[in-house]
Amino acid sequence: MNIAFFDSGIGGLTVLQEAMRRLPGENFLYFADTLHVPYGTKTLEEVKRYVQESVQLVMKEPVQALVVACNTGTSAAIEELRSTYDHIPVIGMEPAVKPAVRRSHEAGRRVLVFATELTLSLSKYHDLVDRVDDHKVVDSMPLPELVQYCEQLQFAPQQIEAYFRGKLGGINLDVYGTIVLGCTHFPYYKNILRHLLPPHIELIDGTGGTVDRLCTMLGLPKVQPEEGASVKTQASSPVPPITFMCSDRNPAYLDKMARALAYLQSLQA
Ligand code: DGL
């Protein structure tokens, strides 16, 4: 099967990596909208258009499923994509607020959602929070710079830790039980955050749940990790074929994607 993943940039590789681990027998295509990254600081209308244009290019390839590995792109355009491409499963992503609320509530603590400005401003996110946040424990914080750092492959702990200290400095972290990484660029910084945050704070993202959904939609057997948790890549597992594409057709970006994927794999080692 040929499964396509789409993101504004290298963020969706965090989901692709998990899919590769769980579905080693499949083929993968990864498309990055390098002409327009980042999406999170753009308008809804712009992002809708960029997503449609990108997915049109993806759909020229023979793909049997599309994963919109981008919370911002999903928030902006998933309904339109599903109605345009109703012949294949189109799987989107949203911040993992529901499991976060459940876990934090059990611990008597609050939830902090990190995502892009656009994701946090749209009704899809507000509707989600209204649906699941019965006890009004969800707070949100946009982290636009983090997408930029990630696109620049800036993973040096000192710089990123200083950034997070600046962002979180005025916040009482004791009240939070869970932080949701509601942007696919953010799991690159999981280890740095883990090191920085008090140990009682759990980090969760939608990666595992998205790959579960992909398996269900395709009728593929799924290995079931804990909801929202990341899964370790086995160094011995074979790397399945991946076709990388990007909207500006810059070969340098292809090299960047390979380096980003190698970095992600090093985090799991
Ligand atoms: N990785 C994307 C997301 O999950 C988009 C980030 C951006 O382009 O601003 O939201």
Side-chain angles (χ1 to χ4, degrees), residues 46-120:
E46 284 171 322
V47 173
K48 269 183 197 282
R49 181 156 47 85
Y50 301 151
V51 171
Q52 288 289 358
E53 287 169 3
S54 298
V55 174
Q56 267 171 28
L57 294 173
V58 172
M59 290 299 174
K60 290 191 168 141
E61 306 299 317
V63 300
Q64 279 84 50
L66 172 70
V67 179
V68 182
C70 176
N71 293 261
T72 313
T74 300
S75 308
I78 196 74
E79 280 83 19
E80 291 89 333
L81 288 178
R82 287 200 176 118
S83 61
T84 311
Y85 303 104
D86 58 357
H87 61 294
I88 58 166
V90 177
I91 292 115
M93 294 190 74
E94 62 183 13
V97 179
K98 191 175 176 183
V101 166
R102 194 183 60 235
R103 292 183 206 191
S104 277
H105 182 62
E106 281 162 8
R109 288 193 151 107
R110 299 185 65 79
V111 171
L112 182 58
V113 180
F114 292 156
T116 69
E117 282 161 297
L118 189 59
T119 296
L120 296 176

Side-chain angles (χ1 to χ4, degrees), residues 16 52 60 82 132 160 195 232 241 258:
L16 172 68
Q52 288 289 358
K60 290 191 168 141
R82 287 200 176 118
V132 302
I160 303 299
H195 180 245
K232 292 208 183 295

Side-chain angles (χ1 to χ4, degrees), residues 165-211:
R165 283 207 185 87
K167 285 284 175 184
L168 300 173
I171 289 181
N172 177 9
L173 289 172
D174 285 346
V175 303
Y176 291 104
T178 313
I179 289 183
V180 177
L181 305 180
C183 168
T184 54
H185 282 76
F186 298 169
Y188 284 88
Y189 299 105
K190 228 172 179 171
N191 288 6
I192 293 177
L193 268 169
R194 189 63 286 148
H195 180 245
L196 202 69
L197 293 169
H200 72 269
I201 298 186
E202 188 182 7
L203 291 173
I204 71 170
D205 60 63
T207 308
T210 302
V211 178

Side-chain angles (χ1 to χ4, degrees), residues 1-41:
M1 206 159 323
N2 202 19
I3 304 168
F5 284 74
F6 160 67
D7 182 41
S8 58
I10 60 172
L13 294 177
T14 55
V15 190
L16 172 68
Q17 187 206 27
E18 172 67 0
M20 282 163 49
R21 193 197 70 81
R22 305 247 305 260
L23 302 169
E26 310 303 328
N27 292 336
F28 298 97
L29 181 153
Y30 187 91
F31 186 98
D33 188 7
T34 43
L35 280 175
H36 303 115
V37 64
Y39 281 177
T41 50

